Amino acid sequence: MVDRLADGCLDTDAQNLLSGLKGRIADTQPGVLKAHHLPWSRDLVNPKNKAHARYLKELGEQFVARANHQVLEHLREQEAGRQELAWLYQEIRHHLGLSTEATWTFCGRQELLAQLGQRLRQSDGHPHSPLVLFGPPGIGKTALMCKLAEQMPGLLGRKTVTVLRLLGMSQMSSDARGLLQSICFQVCLAYGLPLPPAQVLEAHARVVQFFHTLLHTVSCRNFESLVILLDSMDDVDSICRARRVPWLPPRCPPRIHLILSACSGKPGILDIMRQTLTDPEAYWEVKPLSGNQGQEMIQLLLAASRRTLSPGQRELLWASLPECGHPGRLRLAFEEARKWASFTIPAPLASTAKEAIHQLCARLEQTHGQLLVAHVLSYIVSSRHGLSEAELKDVLSLDDEVLEAVYQDWTPPSKELLRFPPLLWVRLRRDLGHCLARRPVDGFTLLAIAHRQLTEVIQERYLSGPERAKRHGVLADFFSGAWSQGTKKLITLPLVGKPLNLDRKVAPQPLWFSDTVANLRKLKELPHHLVHSGRFEELKQEVLGSMNWISCRGVSGGIEGLLEDFDLYGPHLDCPEVGLVRDALQLCRPALELRGMERSILYTELLARLHFFATSHPALVGQLCQQAQSWFRLCPHPVLVPLGGFLQPPGGPLRATFTGCHKGITAMGWSLEEKLLVVGTQDGLMAVWDMEEQQVIHILTGHTGEVRSVKVFGKGTLVLSASKDHTLRLWNLLSGQQKFTIWDGGSKDPTDPEIWSLHVDEAKKVVYLASGSKISAWNLETAELVFHILGDASDCWMCTAVLASRATLLTVSEGGVVSLWSSGTGKLQGRHHLSSIKEETPTCGVSVQKQGKMVTGFSKGSISLVSPGGDSLLEKLPEAVRFLVVSEDESLLAAGFGRSVRIFLADSQGFHRFMATDLEHEDTVEIAGFGPENNLIVTASRDALIQVWSLSEQGTLLDILEGVGAPVSLLAWAGALVASASQQSSSLKVWDLTYIQKPRACTPFLDRTGLTAVSHNGSYVYFPKIGDKNKVTIWDSAEGEEQDALDTSNEVRCLEVAQQANLLFTGLVSGVVLVFPLNSRQDVMCIPPPEARKAINCMALSKGEERLAIAYDSIVLVLDISPGDPCPVIDGPTYTFYTQLPEAISSVAVLADYRVIYGMTNGDLFLYECANSKVFPLEAHGSQVTCMQVSHKEQLAVSGSEEALLCLWDLQACKWRFQMSYTNSYCRGVQCVCFSKDDKYVYAGLKDRSIIVWSVLDGTLLAVQFVHAVVNRIIPTSNGFIAPTRHGYLIRERFQCPSSRVSQQDPLKNFKKAVWKVKSRQREELAAAAGALQDSRSASAQGNERKSNKRSQVCLLV
């Protein structure tokens, strides 16, 4: 088809556009499109024309081929997707197969099924409690659950989605994490929802949250119902060991049904579930069958096995089971009866299930021998998850007692090896029949005992006394590989009479089968058997104290599986070193969950935390550190190797970091009695953390807006939450159930008030909520409104207090009006204006119940004590009061203003100042809190730092803690524990401040300014003194204490150390530079400023320390440093120059030839030649230049900026060689940078608390390491660098880079959403030259272009 104009001629413009479009498509997808050339003719396409016919044939063949290709590609993609989810399909098929077997002989229970169905239909449309079926073992709960799953389409509709799991019957159904993952995947696939992302699967807390959110998502779709049936909750390992079932929702949303089953009779999971599911109607007892139903079941079993009984045998069977409706007992009776021949006259059967099992064991012993039966069953029961047939035969081949019994009448067929005869096992396996269950675990099919009662009898009959340890010992030998790979074992056989050293030919047990395939069976079984065989030293050295084991277990099973092993087996060892390793792993957990379980990350985290204890605990921790160093030496990739400890060590203040299950945190509250932490978030979710188990136990859903406040009361069992969605919700913390919801009557206006106040009066059972210009009170038991007060909307209440001792509500409005109301009725009692405050707005307030007053802070720094009788001025602060906090006993008051906190002590008149000095931060203080004994106060600031002060020592700073990398806005105390959180972060940290009284492995230096300098290879650290910036602290790193302090008489702005000359340069706010010789501190040199009172911005030394550059806002001084006796001589300034720019200098570097590079606050960069007075502008950064360094050979320079851009400069050409930009979710710019000693690499510390290494040669990013703290400065060493951090530790690392980087891995693979971009000037210039040449060629071709045959239409199937 062609376009024609009105006169019949071709529309050339349209043809050119069409031709250009075809060309572009062909260029972008050359492998997909095929061009057909066809001569033009007036009759268009004519099949009778040979060329046209050939074109049509080719086009048709292309269409068919392309269609086939796309169909096949789509099928391949589907198959690849199926292979990725093959584990899920296998799991579903396995449980469906078991369900089918369980319902073959199902009978009776029709009334119970009908009642359950009616209950499900009645509760389908509204929230309801999960159902629990309970009964003794063997009563038929599993068969009932399977039958219920089968009938679901008939009960709730044919589109009902049913998820069935017979717990403990597969690997994924044996632990809570795997169970929830498989359920989430199955439900998402069934409803067409997105699958759980990888970051969710990395942490169990995230999986729990995803599961709860998924249930509500499915409910809100208003689709068909979802039914989840979980049989035998007793068989989930983590539930049996826990105090709670954290993932179990206490209430199911509409159209979501959760049905569980559990055993009764013994204290166990049923009692744990009763704490969460408190509704008595949720529990349904499964009772025995009637006598007739029992006989019907026997008949069904006989028919299914194609067996029948003679009349006499049937009468004996019925007589042995009078009125027996216990399905487990009936099954045992059937198994016994099916072996009767028609002529057999059977003996009476046992009357109880336990007796029947003992009879079964006796019959097996009579047939196969007591020793063989005892040992086979004991090995299966003793194993943690079961044994495969190959494993069982190997274990029996290592059991000398079994082999001696087997070969007592004949000799082995081989003189070189000795194996257990497999035929004996085949015979025993046949007779065990239904007693064995086959379960898929870790890619193997394992044999396990099918019935709980049989397991109990085996333990009683065969595993009493020393026999238990013997069986575990043989299993430990097998899984350790002690007798594999040709290692021979001695045995004395009865017919030989002398010891034989024979190869048992058992399978080897390496930790890794290949680089990526771990020996999961060994990892899960060996520790279990070492513990129960009493081989504790082997457990300590080969398992919990082996870096190979720890890394293999962590990489293959995740950090949670690794911690689970330490929790299971560590308590059996009387070894504090194991506890240190376990606590170190707990501290590593957030980084491993965020970055992924990569070996290099695990080794780095552990080594940097445990190296502090390598000398004091050489037996275990020292060996672990050596093993980690050995692994790093063999690492084939570029890597940073820790040479000392620099991360928070175990035993320090950091107790735990919780992350991954919330958005920004807006409210926190402790339940001290129950050791729970309640967290409210911006998206309305609330999480309840168990501090002992360090996991989420409840996700409280219901709020649709930000949670503004939470109050825990009722002896720690209840919590009240207030949200921006204008609701209050009361929750039971033990069960996670919501007791009631109150709507506060607020409008839906998005401009909600910023001031919220929630108060609970337990004595009167009333809750008060104040927001904006209204106060409401409700009864805590009935949720009925007590009263509602509406104020003047134009003069909102800024502070509200409930004064219980005076039964009064006191409010202070924006205009300074004090109103008094009855807290019982809400009636106005009085109103007056503040007399002590004029022209100030209230900013915060706190009630003092003992005095019956409220302390109020104001916008211009006033603090007033307001009472029903009047008000008085307490203090006048220099800035606006940001917050007010009182201690628990109300004897202390803290007022935050600007960067300071002032402490007051209560007296008869109110409060008076407690300390002469204020507690100071480097940034705005956000929050504070007193310790339980009033001996400590914790303050937190906008720069994410938390400072711990001693009040008993008049405000001595005890420690500086790093928050979560965002402004700390919340602190919550619980005894000695403090939780810190931020509205800008989803993480929170819990600190244990009892460490202050304990000796520490390493005392960090207390610097909060970031102005640190280091000398003597890290032996000494220099920083402005806390509380007195006119002094410089000299910190002895080896001793962990302050050695001395240098008096500078003015505030310190910057520090530099001349390592070779042993000089400390201190730049002061007055513009003076004081130079302290480090070897003789009595002689101090002074460099005066060029102009009075000009503060120094930065200083720099040349690499040879011959030159010193001092930079002010717009002036740079260059001075000479020459050797002298007794100390170097400083001359000059040799050169002084002015920038003549409005922006200030932010960074400077100087070269030996008097060239100076300086960066500005707006990103501009300049190179200035002092000798020639010439300035060369360099290409600017887009934001402030934060750091600048020159290479050791002074041929290159590197600059960094706040936009995380690094530029490598050629100082001869005055042009950049490479521009490297690094962006990720957390990146906030470059903090510091330096060249390696050989100028091959650049080390850069970023403000996102990571260190990166990149190649000077080609700009390649070589390594990225997350160090949990901002690095203040990097000093190169012969093989790496030293770097002081905001945590107060010195990072000492070696950079190891293989000569060949062919196998280099992606250094950003563990940094989500991180992008590293490199621009090379050489490549860009080559590309520009090539583009210019191509343009010239195209112009020449267009000049000689002639009209050619038009391209035909092409098809692309999409």
Side-chain angles (χ1 to χ4, degrees):
M1 303 295 291
V2 295
D3 292 312
R4 292 180 181 273
L5 297 174
D7 57 3
C9 297
L10 288 175
D11 188 343
T12 55
D13 291 340
Q15 294 302 99
N16 290 335
L17 289 172
L18 181 61
S19 177
L21 174 62
K22 293 177 181 179
R24 289 196 301 272
I25 294 176
D27 292 339
T28 54
Q29 299 192 26
V32 175
L33 300 183
K34 181 180 179 182
H36 299 267
H37 299 276
L38 190 67
W40 171 256
S41 65
R42 291 191 173 277
D43 55 356
L44 298 179
V45 179
N46 183 3
K48 295 181 179 180
N49 186 314
K50 290 183 179 181
H52 291 188
R54 184 169 60 254
Y55 158 71
L56 292 173
K57 181 181 179 182
E58 290 177 357
L59 180 62
E61 291 174 349
Q62 179 194 354
F63 181 89
V64 173
R66 187 63 191 163
N68 288 337
H69 174 75
Q70 293 196 16
V71 170
L72 292 174
E73 282 295 313
H74 184 64
L75 291 175
R76 289 191 190 98
E77 291 174 2
Q78 285 188 329
E79 182 61 28
R82 277 196 292 269
Q83 289 177 359
E84 290 178 2
L85 296 174
W87 60 270
L88 176 64
Y89 302 135
Q90 178 187 1
E91 181 79 359
I92 296 172
R93 284 195 300 267
H94 176 68
H95 290 283
L96 289 179
L98 295 175
S99 173
T100 303
E101 292 179 9
T103 55
W104 276 348
T105 56
F106 182 85
C107 63
R109 317 280 195 200
Q110 298 305 316
E111 182 179 354
L112 180 57
L113 285 171
Q115 292 173 350
L116 288 169
Q118 183 179 2
R119 172 65 182 264
L120 293 173
R121 287 190 293 268
Q122 290 175 348
S123 61
D124 194 49
H126 55 82
H128 52 274
S129 174
L131 301 182
V132 180
L133 308 182
F134 68 94
I139 200 64
K141 299 182 294 297
T142 298
L144 178 62
M145 293 282 282
C146 295
K147 192 67 177 179
L148 199 56
E150 185 182 276
Q151 294 184 355
M152 275 304 155
L155 293 174
L156 297 176
R158 63 183 183 86
K159 292 185 178 180
T160 299
V161 176
T162 305
V163 178
L164 174 65
R165 293 292 186 273
L166 307 182
L167 306 184
M169 299 304 290
S170 66
Q171 175 188 0
M172 296 209 72
S173 65
S174 296
D175 71 276
R177 185 178 179 183
L179 172 66
L180 290 187
Q181 285 186 18
S182 69
I183 292 175
C184 290
F185 270 89
Q186 185 174 348
V187 172
C188 287
L189 287 175
Y191 286 90
L193 298 172
L195 297 177
Q199 56 267 32
V200 166
L201 304 177
E202 289 169 359
H204 181 57
R206 298 176 190 153
V207 177
V208 172
Q209 184 199 3
F210 186 89
F211 175 67
H212 284 258
T213 306
L214 179 62
L215 297 184
H216 284 271
T217 301
V218 170
S219 174
C220 294
R221 286 167 63 96
N222 219 5
F223 195 63
E224 293 296 333
S225 301
L226 168 64
V227 182
I228 302 175
L229 299 103
L230 305 178
D231 176 57
S232 190
M233 294 284 287
D234 314 73
D235 290 328
V236 179
D237 294 339
S238 56
I239 296 178
C240 297
R241 296 190 299 269
R243 298 181 300 147
R244 301 179 177 91
V245 189
W247 50 267
L248 179 62
R251 301 283 290 176
C252 294
R255 289 171 295 281
I256 305 296
H257 301 275
L258 188 59
I259 306 175
L260 318 169
S261 75
C263 286
S264 60
K266 296 181 180 179
I269 186 62
L270 189 61
D271 300 302
I272 295 174
M273 286 197 295
R274 290 187 193 276
Q275 299 177 12
T276 303
L277 308 178
T278 56
D279 183 5
E281 296 184 359
Y283 295 87
W284 296 65
E285 184 178 4
V286 181
K287 298 180 179 179
L289 301 171
S290 65
N292 292 334
Q293 291 172 341
Q295 292 186 13
E296 180 185 353
M297 178 179 172
I298 292 289
Q299 295 291 356
L300 289 172
L301 288 169
L302 289 169
S305 61
R306 298 181 180 179
R307 296 299 305 274
T308 186
L309 299 177
S310 67
Q313 291 172 337
R314 189 178 296 108
E315 289 178 6
L316 177 64
L317 181 62
W318 301 149
S320 301
L321 301 170
E323 300 298 324
C324 179
H326 193 289
R329 175 69 188 93
L330 293 170
R331 182 80 193 203
L332 289 170
F334 158 73
E335 292 295 334
E336 191 69 24
R338 69 184 295 185
K339 301 182 184 303
W340 295 342
S342 58
F343 53 82
T344 301
I345 301 176
L349 300 179
S351 58
T352 65
K354 187 174 182 179
E355 292 177 2
I357 294 173
H358 277 289
Q359 279 188 356
L360 170 65
C361 292
R363 178 170 56 79
L364 291 172
E365 291 171 5
Q366 185 177 2
T367 305
H368 302 279
Q370 190 275 339
L371 187 68
L372 178 60
V373 172
H375 285 221
V376 167
L377 295 179
S378 297
Y379 287 133
I380 295 175
V381 168
S382 299
S383 61
R384 188 175 177 188
H385 297 294
L387 295 172
S388 68
E389 292 198 43
E391 290 172 344
L392 182 58
K393 287 184 281 189
D394 278 352
V395 170
L396 291 171
S397 298
L398 292 176
D399 191 332
D400 291 348
E401 294 181 31
V402 171
L403 294 177
E404 289 170 5
V406 168
Y407 291 106
Q408 63 181 344
D409 297 323
W410 55 292
T411 57
S414 173
K415 296 182 180 180
E416 298 296 327
L417 61 92
L418 183 64
R419 292 284 297 174
F420 174 78
L423 185 59
L424 299 181
W425 158 244
V426 172
R427 292 172 54 210
L428 178 57
R429 182 187 61 191
R430 179 198 62 197
D431 288 351
L432 282 170
H434 77 287
C435 298
L436 296 178
R438 287 166 172 78
R439 301 173 181 175
V441 176
D442 297 326
F444 297 85
T445 299
L446 303 186
L447 299 175
I449 302 300
H451 309 292
R452 186 176 289 104
Q453 288 174 304
L454 177 56
T455 300
E456 294 172 356
V457 168
I458 292 171
Q459 290 173 337
E460 175 188 334
R461 192 178 179 100
Y462 304 126
L463 290 172
S464 59
E467 291 300 313
R468 182 168 177 263
K470 288 181 180 179
R471 302 290 80 77
H472 283 291
V474 176
L475 287 166
D477 285 344
F478 168 69
F479 284 108
S480 67
W483 304 110
S484 63
Q485 295 182 319
T487 304
K488 297 180 179 180
K489 187 181 181 185
L490 284 171
I491 186 173
T492 302
L493 298 178
L495 294 182
V496 177
K498 64 178 181 179
L500 299 176
N501 204 14
L502 301 176
D503 186 359
R504 306 300 175 91
K505 284 294 180 184
V506 297
Q509 296 291 339
L511 275 177
W512 293 94
F513 291 124
S514 70
D515 291 340
T516 57
V517 180
N519 187 348
L520 298 178
R521 295 289 297 136
K522 176 175 183 173
L523 292 171
K524 294 181 179 179
E525 293 284 346
L526 180 57
H528 176 75
H529 300 303
L530 290 175
V531 164
H532 291 97
S533 60
R535 291 154 63 169
F536 299 122
E537 188 62 28
E538 190 175 344
L539 174 70
K540 184 171 71 172
Q541 297 296 332
E542 302 299 326
V543 177
L544 302 183
S546 166
M547 278 302 299
N548 288 333
W549 180 284
I550 290 172
S551 64
C552 184
R553 182 72 175 98
V555 171
S556 61
I559 184 64
E560 291 186 350
L562 185 54
L563 286 170
E564 181 183 342
D565 281 357
F566 273 85
D567 291 337
L568 277 176
Y569 309 120
H572 294 275
L573 302 175
D574 184 16
C575 179
E577 293 181 77
V578 172
L580 281 177
V581 178
R582 191 264 175 212
D583 292 344
L585 286 169
Q586 183 66 48
L587 294 175
C588 298
R589 182 175 185 167
L592 294 170
E593 289 179 346
L594 179 65
R595 308 293 178 198
M597 179 56 87
E598 169 71 27
R599 283 196 211 181
S600 61
I601 298 177
L602 175 62
Y603 277 66
T604 299
E605 286 273 333
L606 275 181
L607 187 55
R609 297 184 192 278
L610 291 176
H611 202 283
F612 297 107
F613 309 95
T615 304
S616 59
H617 298 80
L620 187 70
V621 176
Q623 290 295 324
L624 280 175
C625 293
Q626 289 181 14
Q627 294 168 20
Q629 293 281 8
S630 299
W631 182 86
F632 277 118
R633 281 193 288 270
L634 300 175
C635 183
H637 311 297
V639 65
L640 287 167
V641 184
L643 301 178
F646 59 81
L647 297 181
Q648 289 279 357
L654 184 59
R655 176 82 169 265
T657 302
F658 299 139
T659 185
C661 69
H662 350 77
K663 288 190 176 179
I665 297 172
T666 54
M668 288 195 302
W670 279 99
S671 167
L672 187 58
E673 297 84 353
E674 298 295 330
K675 298 179 181 177
L676 303 176
L677 177 61
V678 185
V679 175
T681 64
Q682 289 176 344
D683 57 1
L685 280 179
M686 294 174 60
V688 183
W689 288 88
D690 186 316
M691 286 310 304
E692 287 191 346
E693 299 179 10
Q694 297 192 3
Q695 65 174 346
V696 174
I697 63 166
H698 300 303
I699 298 291
L700 309 180
T701 56
H703 286 301
T704 57
E706 176 183 307
V707 178
R708 296 303 303 267
S709 180
V710 296
K711 293 289 183 182
V712 179
F713 62 100
K715 296 182 178 179
T717 61
L718 299 173
V719 63
L720 193 68
S721 58
S723 167
K724 273 189 172 183
D725 63 4
H726 300 285
T727 63
L728 278 79
R729 297 175 187 266
L730 181 63
W731 313 83
N732 186 310
L733 286 178
L734 301 183
S735 65
Q737 291 189 354
Q738 180 179 309
K739 300 192 73 171
F740 60 69
T741 302
I742 298 172
W743 184 54
D744 71 355
S747 67
K748 300 301 181 182
D749 186 358
T751 59
D752 289 307
E754 291 297 321
I755 307 299
W756 287 64
S757 176
L758 183 64
H759 179 82
V760 175
D761 189 335
E762 289 192 70
K764 296 182 180 180
K765 298 180 180 179
V766 177
V767 55
Y768 303 89
L769 176 66
S771 61
S773 58
K774 63 180 180 180
I775 302 175
S776 303
W778 295 272
N779 186 289
L780 267 177
E781 293 185 341
T782 63
E784 294 179 353
L785 182 67
V786 178
F787 61 80
H788 187 66
I789 303 173
L790 284 177
D792 185 357
S794 63
D795 189 21
C796 293
W797 294 319
M798 303 299 291
C799 306
T800 304
V802 180
L803 304 178
S805 60
R806 304 195 182 202
T808 301
L809 283 169
L810 188 151
T811 63
V812 180
S813 72
E814 189 174 3
V817 177
V818 179
S819 302
L820 304 173
W821 316 81
S822 167
S823 62
T825 62
K827 292 184 178 180
L828 181 65
Q829 296 179 338
R831 181 175 288 151
H832 63 270
H833 282 269
L834 290 169
S835 60
S836 60
I837 305 297
K838 303 297 181 183
E839 298 180 355
E840 290 190 58
T841 303
T843 55
C844 54
V846 63
S847 64
V848 185
Q849 296 294 333
K850 290 181 179 179
Q851 299 185 18
K853 301 176 182 179
M854 179 171 66
V855 183
T856 309
F858 292 86
S859 57
K860 294 183 180 179
S862 297
I863 300 178
S864 178
L865 198 60
V866 183
S867 68
D871 60 277
S872 61
L873 183 64
L874 185 66
E875 184 84 355
K876 182 70 174 180
L877 302 179
E879 297 181 60
V881 184
R882 294 185 56 82
F883 63 84
L884 293 164
V885 179
V886 295
S887 60
E888 188 175 351
D889 63 359
E890 298 183 346
S891 63
L892 293 172
L893 168 71
F897 59 100
R899 300 183 177 188
S900 304
V901 177
R902 186 167 295 180
I903 310 298
F904 300 88
L905 181 65
D907 57 23
S908 59
Q909 302 300 316
F911 291 90
H912 66 272
R913 191 164 177 178
F914 177 58
M915 297 185 303
T917 58
D918 296 328
L919 310 179
E920 294 185 354
H921 277 255
E922 291 299 309
D923 206 341
T924 304
V925 183
E926 296 282 351
I927 190 69
F930 290 98
E933 299 177 1
N934 291 348
N935 59 338
L936 298 175
I937 183 172
V938 176
T939 58
S941 56
R942 195 170 289 173
D943 58 4
L945 291 183
I946 301 168
Q947 299 186 179
V948 184
W949 311 81
S950 171
L951 295 178
S952 57
E953 299 177 17
Q954 289 295 304
T956 301
L957 181 63
L958 299 176
D959 207 345
I960 300 176
L961 312 175
E962 179 95 7
V964 291
V968 181
S969 53
L970 294 169
L971 289 175
W973 279 88
L977 297 181
V978 181
S980 64
S982 170
Q983 295 184 6
Q984 299 178 24
S985 173
S986 62
S987 301
L988 66 96
K989 288 185 176 181
V990 178
W991 311 89
D992 186 351
L993 299 187
T994 57
Y995 79 97
I996 292 174
Q997 289 80 28
K998 301 176 183 177
R1000 303 181 66 174
C1002 176
T1003 304
F1005 55 86
L1006 300 182
D1007 170 58
R1008 59 190 182 186
T1009 62
L1011 304 178
T1012 49
V1014 178
S1015 73
H1016 298 84
N1017 197 30
S1019 298
Y1020 297 98
V1021 181
Y1022 308 88
F1023 53 89
K1025 187 177 180 65
I1026 296 296
D1028 187 359
K1029 294 182 181 178
N1030 296 343
K1031 294 182 179 179
V1032 174
T1033 297
I1034 303 176
W1035 184 265
D1036 188 325
S1037 301
E1039 298 297 328
E1041 62 184 15
E1042 180 180 331
Q1043 188 195 64
D1044 199 357
L1046 306 176
D1047 192 352
T1048 61
S1049 302
N1050 267 285
E1051 182 180 336
V1052 177
R1053 289 290 300 271
C1054 52
L1055 294 170
E1056 287 292 334
V1057 169
Q1059 305 285 346
Q1060 302 166 24
N1062 279 325
L1063 297 176
L1064 172 66
F1065 297 87
T1066 61
L1068 308 181
V1069 70
S1070 62
V1072 173
V1073 176
L1074 294 181
V1075 186
F1076 295 90
L1078 299 180
N1079 295 332
S1080 58
R1081 295 166 193 159
Q1082 304 303 322
D1083 302 322
V1084 180
M1085 292 172 276
C1086 177
I1087 303 173
E1091 298 178 12
R1093 306 304 301 174
K1094 285 283 187 178
I1096 295 176
N1097 289 350
C1098 49
M1099 297 186 296
L1101 289 162
S1102 61
K1103 290 304 174 183
E1105 298 182 356
E1106 314 96 335
R1107 312 285 176 256
L1108 170 68
I1110 304 171
Y1112 300 83
D1113 282 348
S1114 58
I1115 307 172
V1116 178
L1117 309 182
V1118 180
L1119 300 95
D1120 293 332
I1121 304 174
S1122 56
D1125 189 18
C1127 60
V1129 177
I1130 302 175
D1131 296 320
T1134 308
Y1135 294 100
T1136 301
F1137 66 89
Y1138 293 77
T1139 62
Q1140 306 295 333
L1141 295 172
E1143 291 80 16
I1145 298 173
S1146 58
S1147 185
V1148 68
V1150 63
L1151 285 77
D1153 59 0
Y1154 297 104
R1155 285 184 293 169
V1156 177
I1157 312 169
Y1158 55 95
M1160 315 299 288
T1161 54
N1162 66 344
D1164 288 341
L1165 275 169
F1166 299 93
L1167 174 64
Y1168 186 82
E1169 290 185 356
C1170 295
N1172 302 322
S1173 299
K1174 291 184 178 180
V1175 61
F1176 299 92
L1178 306 178
E1179 295 182 46
H1181 287 266
S1183 60
Q1184 177 175 324
V1185 179
T1186 56
C1187 52
M1188 178 84 65
Q1189 282 290 326
V1190 176
S1191 66
H1192 292 83
K1193 297 177 182 178
E1194 298 193 343
Q1195 296 175 355
L1196 303 171
V1198 62
S1199 60
S1201 67
E1202 288 184 341
E1203 59 186 334
L1205 178 68
L1206 288 158
C1207 292
L1208 183 68
W1209 302 93
D1210 186 331
L1211 297 182
Q1212 301 302 321
C1214 293
K1215 294 181 178 180
W1216 57 263
R1217 286 188 183 180
F1218 299 107
Q1219 281 189 348
M1220 288 140 287
S1221 62
Y1222 176 65
T1223 57
N1224 62 28
S1225 304
Y1226 312 97
C1227 195
R1228 304 180 184 91
V1230 183
Q1231 177 75 11
C1232 54
V1233 68
C1234 79
F1235 284 88
S1236 63
K1237 283 286 189 181
D1238 56 8
D1239 289 343
K1240 290 183 178 180
Y1241 313 111
V1242 170
Y1243 308 123
L1246 304 185
K1247 292 183 180 179
D1248 69 345
R1249 299 177 289 171
S1250 65
I1251 295 176
I1252 63 174
V1253 185
W1254 49 274
S1255 170
V1256 172
L1257 179 64
D1258 54 12
T1260 303
L1261 180 65
L1262 300 175
V1264 181
Q1265 186 182 79
F1266 186 67
V1267 294
H1268 297 268
V1270 176
V1271 173
N1272 301 322
R1273 181 190 295 261
I1274 299 182
I1275 302 101
T1277 60
S1278 59
N1279 58 0
F1281 58 83
I1282 298 174
T1285 73
R1286 287 279 292 272
H1287 277 168
Y1289 296 108
L1290 274 181
I1291 298 177
R1292 299 174 187 268
E1293 295 204 281
R1294 179 181 82 249
F1295 179 59
Q1296 179 176 297
C1297 186
S1299 56
S1300 173
R1301 303 205 306 264
V1302 177
S1303 61
Q1304 178 186 343
Q1305 61 180 356
D1306 178 13
L1308 292 179
K1309 71 175 186 177
N1310 297 303
F1311 287 75
K1312 298 176 178 63
K1313 299 181 181 179
V1315 179
W1316 174 261
K1317 295 180 180 178
V1318 179
K1319 289 174 65 177
S1320 168
R1321 180 174 295 277
Q1322 182 180 6
R1323 286 196 293 266
E1324 288 195 352
E1325 290 175 350
L1326 290 174
L1333 181 60
Q1334 181 68 29
D1335 290 342
S1336 64
R1337 288 177 177 172
S1338 347
S1340 173
Q1342 288 175 4
N1344 299 321
E1345 184 179 7
R1346 295 180 300 174
K1347 288 188 177 180
S1348 59
N1349 293 333
K1350 289 183 60 65
R1351 289 179 176 174
S1352 68
Q1353 299 281 347
V1354 292
C1355 296
L1356 172 63
L1357 298 181
V1358 293

